[in-house]
Amino acid sequence: MRIEKDRLGEVQLDDHILYGIQSARAKDNFSVNYKKTSLRLIYAIVKVKKAAAMTYIKLGVGKEGVYRAITDACDIILSGQADGQFIVDAMQGGAGTSTNMNVNEVIANLALKLSGKNCGEYDFIHPIDDVNRGQSTNDVYPTALRIAAIELLRDLSEGCAKLQQSFQKKENQFDDIKKLGRTELMDAIPITLGSEFGSYAQAIARDRWRLYKVEERLRQVNIGGTAVGTSANADRKYRFGVIDKLREMTNIGLAAAEYPMDITQNNDVFVEVSGLLKALAVNLMKISNDIRLMNSGPAGGIGEIKLAPMQMGSTIMPGKVNPVIPEMVIQASMKVIANDYAITAAASHGEFELNAFLPLIADSLLESLSLLERTVIIFRTKCVDLIEADSERCLKLLESSYAFTVEYTQKLGYDKVSRIIEENNGNVDSIKNALKNFEK
Ligand SMILES: O=C(O)C[C@H](O)C(=O)O
């Protein structure tokens, strides 16, 4: 056991534990058992710490070997070997300070071990004086959140591109299958099944483009601005060096914020990104609902397409198979829309130089991004790619509807065609005969 102390007293920690007193207090204070802080965010914070340490090595500052041990410790964390040490709940007060300190303490203790010292020997490597040198939670955390968001956005954008291609393939495959169009769930002008899928491809193409474009706004980071964006305690050479290193490490074209105070306190960019995710969620829901309806049946529904059966559907009705993948997509989309509200609420509650509710923004945004990233892959591979058309059913429904009469309205006038439909009680064969007679 080791004992760590702060102004509030002492905490006992097992020797193998790499986090320190501040993390231990936060673990206890925020033990709401919601969920742990996202490892995506933790890794992005570690990248910021590594870039800072590399900058200090380059500038030749600090005690001999300390920053080298810190960068080695960062590499160990980034390889996934210390995941269990990040123990602070995502639902936390303190604007992310506990998460930043959890990272600072784990890096410091790992670096101490790598240097042949014991955990807690902070006179040699200190979580704040060394690992957090020239930094504050308020510049590290928002910078890391931007990096994590961009990494996920890139994956999601690629996923959307593939989903778009899958819809385009279906557009070509179903190009010559005529079917009923529907407006307000009622028979409307005939279309092709291909064009139904072509419209989905267009919507997802728009999502993909929006997600691609928004990255450039996220690339402005406030690292080096420290607590309120004025760069207190951050050396000028470090400030420029750390962004260069981060750019190299992440392969993201990060740039120093033109006005770091703004970036430190205002979070509208996350509302913007979430808004785009909401637009994607809305499209996915609309498409999934169409697919469920077109697949409905097998006997009592529309049945124009067939989804591949993924699992048995019922514990009581033998043979029933449900459209489980679109149902999952719809619920994931609902969650993204709910998260958007949380992000909007949190972003609107910032006061003066900082928004204390950034942890909720971070958790909700990264959850939405990861959820959508997986959702579009599963939707594509387990649903869209496997869809088959029932062209006979499409034709049967088309031919049993008088929706085709729209073609006659220009020649005969709307009122006359309506009268023919009414006089023949909507009977399609009689309507066709009556219209033929008019044409003669
Ligand atoms: O942890 C810090 O660096 C600052 C903290 O977030 C605060 O503003 O109180």
Side-chain angles (χ1 to χ4, degrees):
M1 294 291 267
R2 69 180 195 271
I3 292 176
E4 291 198 17
K5 295 184 185 152
D6 65 7
R7 207 158 53 81
L8 305 180
E10 293 181 352
V11 167
Q12 278 201 341
L13 294 158
D14 274 346
D15 269 340
H16 69 274
I17 287 177
L18 295 174
Y19 56 80
I21 186 166
Q22 291 220 33
S23 312
R25 290 203 190 284
K27 179 178 184 245
D28 189 37
N29 285 336
F30 311 128
S31 57
V32 285
N33 296 333
Y34 167 59
K35 61 177 158 173
K36 298 275 170 275
T37 302
S38 144
L39 276 174
R40 283 267 180 185
L41 181 62
I42 298 286
Y43 286 3
I45 295 176
V46 173
K47 287 177 191 169
V48 175
K49 302 288 169 186
K50 183 177 171 189
M54 287 169 83
T55 309
Y56 289 130
I57 292 172
K58 194 169 164 199
L59 295 177
V61 296
K63 289 164 273 180
E64 181 71 29
V66 165
Y67 287 106
R68 180 62 57 205
I70 288 176
T71 60
D72 291 347
C74 291
D75 287 337
I76 291 175
I77 297 172
L78 291 173
S79 72
Q81 293 177 61
D83 291 356
Q85 300 293 325
F86 299 101
I87 38 76
V88 182
D89 205 284
M91 198 65 77
Q92 56 182 264
T97 295
S98 299
T99 296
N100 184 29
M101 275 313 297
N102 194 178
V103 173
N104 288 335
E105 288 178 337
V106 173
I107 293 176
N109 282 316
L110 258 178
L112 281 168
K113 285 179 105 177
L114 293 172
S115 313
K117 305 279 176 192
N118 294 316
C119 289
E121 288 191 82
Y122 297 142
D123 283 347
F124 191 71
I125 299 176
H126 196 275
I128 295 181
D129 295 338
D130 297 310
V131 184
N132 200 59
R133 181 179 183 146
Q135 301 153 39
S136 157
T137 305
N138 308 353
D139 63 348
V140 169
Y141 194 101
T143 299
L145 176 54
R146 281 169 171 77
I147 292 169
I150 289 172
E151 287 169 349
L152 279 166
L153 263 174
R154 287 182 177 180
D155 293 345
L156 176 59
S157 176
E158 196 185 310
C160 285
K162 289 190 177 148
L163 182 60
Q164 177 198 338
Q165 282 162 14
S166 288
F167 281 130
Q168 278 164 340
K169 270 193 204 146
K170 293 291 158 189
E171 178 182 14
N172 294 333
Q173 192 183 332
F174 303 152
D175 185 35
D176 56 358
I177 300 179
K178 292 199 177 63
K179 76 182 277 284
L180 261 180
R182 292 186 183 85
T183 58
E184 296 159 80
L185 290 179
M186 306 300 281
D187 299 358
I189 293 171
I191 57 169
T192 64
L193 186 59
S195 63
E196 198 91 83
F197 281 83
S199 305
Y200 304 153
Q202 292 297 319
I204 299 300
R206 238 177 354 261
D207 287 313
R208 180 195 170 194
W209 178 243
R210 290 186 191 114
L211 298 176
Y212 171 75
K213 284 298 285 176
V214 80
E215 181 184 314
E216 71 191 34
R217 249 189 302 287
L218 281 169
R219 284 190 215 135
Q220 275 209 39
V221 288
N222 66 337
I223 191 71
T226 67
V228 295
T230 56
S231 298
N233 288 2
D235 179 89
R236 191 171 178 279
K237 284 191 188 141
Y238 152 79
R239 276 192 274 143
F240 289 101
V242 71
I243 293 193
D244 285 346
K245 280 278 171 263
L246 261 182
R247 212 183 289 126
E248 262 169 52
M249 279 170 57
T250 58
N251 204 18
I252 297 172
L254 300 167
E258 280 171 28
Y259 209 107
M261 272 185 77
D262 157 41
I263 300 285
T264 310
Q265 60 189 256
N266 294 315
N267 289 291
D268 50 283
V269 73
F270 301 122
V271 178
E272 182 181 359
V273 176
S274 177
L276 303 188
L277 300 182
K278 183 168 71 169
L280 170 60
V282 163
N283 284 335
L284 290 173
M285 266 172 103
K286 192 274 177 187
I287 296 167
S288 297
N289 273 324
D290 279 8
I291 286 175
R292 282 167 74 223
L293 287 168
M294 283 192 283
N295 172 72
S296 60
I302 294 178
E304 291 171 339
I305 60 169
K306 286 187 172 62
L307 298 189
M310 301 313 296
Q311 57 191 65
M312 288 300 114
S314 172
T315 58
I316 184 169
M317 293 169 277
K320 190 169 190 285
V321 175
N322 296 321
V324 290
I325 300 298
E327 286 171 357
M328 183 279 286
V329 174
I330 289 167
Q331 290 172 85
S333 303
M334 288 170 173
K335 185 78 174 104
V336 169
I337 293 168
N339 284 347
D340 180 65
Y341 182 74
I343 292 166
T344 308
S348 63
H349 276 279
E351 296 87 22
F352 299 115
E353 274 60 65
L354 185 68
N355 187 317
F357 310 105
L358 193 53
L360 180 60
I361 296 179
D363 180 62
S364 308
L365 188 72
L366 297 180
E367 181 180 77
S368 289
L369 280 161
S370 324
L371 199 53
L372 284 171
E373 194 254 327
R374 287 296 305 151
T375 295
V376 296
I377 294 173
I378 294 169
F379 190 33
R380 172 172 60 84
T381 55
K382 290 185 184 284
C383 177
V384 178
D385 284 347
L386 311 177
I387 290 175
E388 283 176 11
D390 187 337
S391 51
E392 279 176 28
R393 177 77 180 158
C394 287
L395 195 64
K396 191 170 170 222
L397 291 179
L398 181 63
E399 289 183 338
S400 57
S401 162
Y402 54 75
F404 72 91
T405 55
V406 72
E407 288 171 32
Y408 290 83
T409 56
Q410 288 203 314
K411 223 186 301 172
L412 304 179
Y414 184 93
D415 288 343
K416 195 175 280 176
V417 177
S418 296
R419 213 166 41 243
I420 292 170
I421 293 171
E422 206 179 318
E423 281 166 8
N424 291 283
N425 294 323
N427 182 294
V428 175
D429 291 335
S430 319
I431 294 169
K432 276 187 185 158
N433 284 335
L435 287 169
K436 266 188 207 141
N437 288 338
F438 264 102
E439 274 188 318
K440 275 180 196 160

